[in-house]
Amino acid sequence: MSVVCIEFKPGLEGVPATQSSISYVDGQKGVLEYRGINIRELAKSSSFLETAYLLIWGNLPTREELENFEHDIRYHRRIKYRIRDMMKCFPETGHPMDALQASAAALGLFYSRRALDNPEYIRTAVVRLLAKIPTMVAAFELMRKGNDALQPRDDLDYAANFLYMLNEQEPDELAAQVFDVCLTLHAEHTINASTFSAMVTSSTLTDPYAVIASAVGTLAGPLHGGANEDVISMLSEIGSIENVRPYLDKCLQTKAKIMGFGHRVYKVKDPRAIILQELAEKLFDKFGYDKYYEIALELEKAVEEKLGGKGIYPNVDFYSGLVYRKLGISSDLFTPVFAIARVAGWLAHWKEQLATNRIFRPTQIYTGEHDVSYTPIQER
Ligand code: SDX
């Protein structure tokens, strides 16, 4: 088969890498749909686990299907003691995303590999990863403080149990409800970098634990999921409303990227950022204001004045940190929280791709030389 070489696009911008029915983004209108359902509808009416089921199996579950799915996830939340013992050896100064990537990969050591044509294997891997990733994120948080990890509580739902394991106390009902919506908002977003990484890894038919470990490593970067942590550092550095414009001018002069802004697809405000702002304001009403919010609002206004014409607007990472701060989550855990949610999307694409898999092996435009002779070291 002759290879038709198409034009090289840095970062594969605008190049379709797959055909998918999982989610859809309209970057001009600011629309995000999961399996055709608008994200605002899911944020209002669904739950993270129901949304994860929708993304992975393609339909909203019946009451019985959802109850069975939720039951199975509660049952699989615990992690092997050897993984906990391994995590106790991690340096407390290590970044939680590195701890998550290592422990996610370690899951693969305990479960049979690659029965990828068996729907039961697929479902069990989905349940294990959705159930255990939050437990591992919370475990590292307690261990790096020198404490023992808490066992999951089967009487708490998915969001409440994570906040309990993390903060060592049952969360407020509104806090758990808001966190569950945050997970829904972060669950899936077409072929972003970490999902593409998951797909490339999946295409070699390796095990799903290696797939998730690949995706976690990709999400960690500051241009992708790591931006949410950097936004809080940026707001802290700005420090006051008066300093917003001088800070922005300095970024523009040095061509520094303003974290939490811009997107490869959205050229308007990310619909998730709009909902996250509403969630943040709900938490402020109940738990008190956060002065970083007024700095963020002023920065959004200033960036729109300067860069709105280039389609640079807040993305999902700009306001998420303000919600997480109110939920008592440390800023270096913001990206692991993003990963907890995105496991649903990564697994949805993993499952979808297995149905028509072909190993990813793109081509290149060679820019090097040919027939170069070898120079012995003594002559170099
Ligand atoms: C996520 O893909 C997804 O869907 C990702 C995500 C998901 O749910 O999976 O939505 C989650 O990763 C959100 C993005 C989080 N990252 C950040 O907030 C980091 C800051 N943002 C930028 O690095 C950037 O906007 C990207 C990486 C998000 C997108 O980069 P692109 O599409 O490669 O755009 P680019 O870097 O080529 O920029 C195009 C122009 C440039 O100006 P010119 O050189 O043409 O004059 O826009 C400018 C850039 O300088 N620009 C910015 C900017 N983002 C783009 N200028 C200042 N600040 C920014 N944040």
Side-chain angles (χ1 to χ4, degrees), residues 25-67:
V25 171
D26 182 324
Q28 300 303 327
K29 295 183 185 148
V31 171
L32 169 59
E33 294 172 342
Y34 292 173
R35 298 286 185 184
I37 303 176
N38 191 288
I39 190 65
R40 181 165 282 280
E41 184 59 49
L42 290 166
K44 182 164 71 68
S45 311
S46 186
S47 68
F48 170 65
L49 285 184
E50 181 181 78
T51 298
Y53 190 102
L54 168 71
L55 290 167
I56 294 162
W57 281 282
N59 57 277
L60 285 169
T62 62
R63 188 183 303 279
E64 187 187 359
E65 286 168 336
L66 182 58
E67 283 170 359

Side-chain angles (χ1 to χ4, degrees), residues 227-239 247 292 331:
N228 51 21
E229 178 181 354
D230 292 346
V231 166
I232 294 300
S233 314
M234 171 181 68
L235 296 176
S236 166
E237 186 185 342
I238 293 172
Y247 178 89
Y292 283 178
S331 60

Side-chain angles (χ1 to χ4, degrees), residues 13 17-18 22 31 42 48 57 92 107 114 132 144 187 200 220-221 288 301 311 332 336 344 348 353 357:
E13 180 162 10
T18 188
I22 297 169
V31 171
L42 290 166
F48 170 65
W57 281 282
E92 60 275 2
L107 285 174
R114 301 184 202 152
K132 297 180 191 302
R144 69 175 176 172
V200 172
K301 215 162 86 185
D332 67 357
Q353 181 170 316
N357 188 57

Side-chain angles (χ1 to χ4, degrees), residues 189 192 222-225 227 255-264 272 307 310 312 315-317 338 342:
H189 208 252
N192 58 83
L223 293 188
H224 189 13
K255 280 258 180 212
K257 293 281 173 48
I258 300 110
M259 302 317 273
F261 285 88
H263 200 277
R264 177 63 59 80
R272 299 167 294 177
L307 297 172
K310 288 171 78 169
I312 311 288
N315 59 51
V316 68
D317 288 321
F338 193 151
R342 191 52 61 88

Side-chain angles (χ1 to χ4, degrees), residues 6-18 191-193 196-197 199-200 264-265 360-365:
I6 55 172
E7 186 199 349
F8 169 56
K9 289 282 197 177
L12 293 180
E13 180 162 10
V15 177
T18 188
I191 312 302
N192 58 83
F196 184 51
S197 175
M199 291 167 62
V200 172
R264 177 63 59 80
V265 182
F360 276 92
R361 196 341 181 160
T363 183
Q364 64 170 11
I365 295 170

Side-chain angles (χ1 to χ4, degrees), residues 333-345:
L333 287 174
F334 293 175
T335 312
V337 163
F338 193 151
I340 289 172
R342 191 52 61 88
V343 167

Side-chain angles (χ1 to χ4, degrees), residues 5 33 37 69 91 130 156 192 250 284:
C5 206
E33 294 172 342
I37 303 176
F69 189 52
L130 282 171
L156 296 177
N192 58 83
K250 199 173 80 193
F284 297 154

